[in-house]
Amino acid sequence: MAKVVYGSELSAELKQQMKQKIEGYVARGMRRPCLAVILAGDDPASHSYVKGKEKACQAVGIESRMHYLPATVGQKELECLIDALSQDDGVDGILVQLPLPKGLDEDSAILRISPDKDVDGLHPVNVGKFFLGEEGFVPCTPLGIMELLKRMECDVEGKRAVVVGRSKLVGTPVARLLQNANATVTVCHSRTRDLASVCREADILVAAIGKPRFITKEFVKPGAFVIDVGVNRKDDGHLCGDVLFEDVEPIAAAITPVPKGVGPMTICMLLANTLQGYERKML
Ligand code: GUN
């Protein structure tokens, strides 16, 4: 039976610590940290994610400035807003919710975010710093995964880690973080041959493929630490992960559920990155 590690619980603890720190700064007469969020269009999932981010900011005492733009917003107008926020000394973090509506250029928009406010870690300057081992911003979901492994009491050093998925936001950066923590890392993807046998070598298995309940016990070495990054919506509207939980849980050492696993940690690390941006500037 695996230890089931809830990101919802861990994030509540970490948020409590951040709240105390922020109230300490405010008591010393400093302003609150501030996150600016830009959401263009009316995609319901994006609106729901952004609402969650706003609520989380409130809970820890980070000011949130929400900018809702119509789906018809022009590239120029969007980038003018990003420029203004980049130059605003009262803003510590800027998040442009992705995907942007059709017709808008995401890469061009991200380039306009000041790298020292890029709390998503998406700007090429931050991607470059991360891969060079320099201080910058690291994407939130990978940071959350590393916190979950700590909570699992998983000593990453020397372990064999397999990451399934190579996205910019999750697979590629989490592989790098695991490598930095001295794991031996394999990154798998849709063209990997005999995926199950590669996954079975993993002491740490990170599933970030976007295929509902794809990872069954045939993919898992007994005693492995399993992190499920999948967020898939079932026909009944409920969420499920990339891992078939009831199949894998009996043989894993520890596993994260979906929902209440990685998702809450992503938001928590967004707050942590915003606080980090604030501290770099203000302390
Ligand atoms: N859309 C889905 N996940 C994310 C994220 O982590 N950051 C941004 N900006 N957009 C997203």
Side-chain angles (χ1 to χ4, degrees), residues 38 46 49 53 95-99 120 122 140-141 169 266:
I38 301 175
S46 289
Y49 290 144
K53 292 168 187 176
L95 182 141
V96 179
Q97 184 67 25
L98 303 177
D120 257 332
L122 288 174
C140 304
T141 301
L169 219 48
T266 296

Side-chain angles (χ1 to χ4, degrees), residues 27-133:
R28 280 157 52 189
M30 292 163 68
R31 67 166 173 81
R32 290 186 180 278
C34 173
L35 174 68
V37 178
I38 301 175
L39 172 54
D42 34 39
D43 175 63
S46 289
H47 272 267
S48 154
Y49 290 144
V50 159
K51 203 89 215 142
K53 292 168 187 176
E54 186 182 13
K55 267 177 62 179
C57 281
Q58 240 167 28
V60 301
I62 291 178
E63 182 196 341
S64 57
R65 292 199 202 160
M66 313 304 290
H67 295 269
Y68 295 99
L69 305 174
T72 52
V73 68
Q75 186 78 27
K76 229 180 181 166
E77 200 182 329
L78 170 67
E79 291 183 3
C80 274
L81 174 59
I82 299 173
D83 287 345
L85 295 169
S86 287
Q87 284 154 25
D88 186 335
D89 278 342
V91 172
D92 305 296
I94 302 171
L95 182 141
V96 179
Q97 184 67 25
L98 303 177
L100 287 171
K102 271 206 184 75
L104 292 171
D105 181 342
E106 287 183 358
D107 291 340
S108 169
I110 287 165
L111 273 177
R112 303 299 276 262
I113 300 174
S114 167
D116 57 4
K117 298 185 181 184
D118 168 39
V119 283
D120 257 332
L122 288 174
H123 191 289
V125 165
N126 283 317
V127 177
K129 282 185 172 178
F130 176 39
F131 277 83
L132 291 168

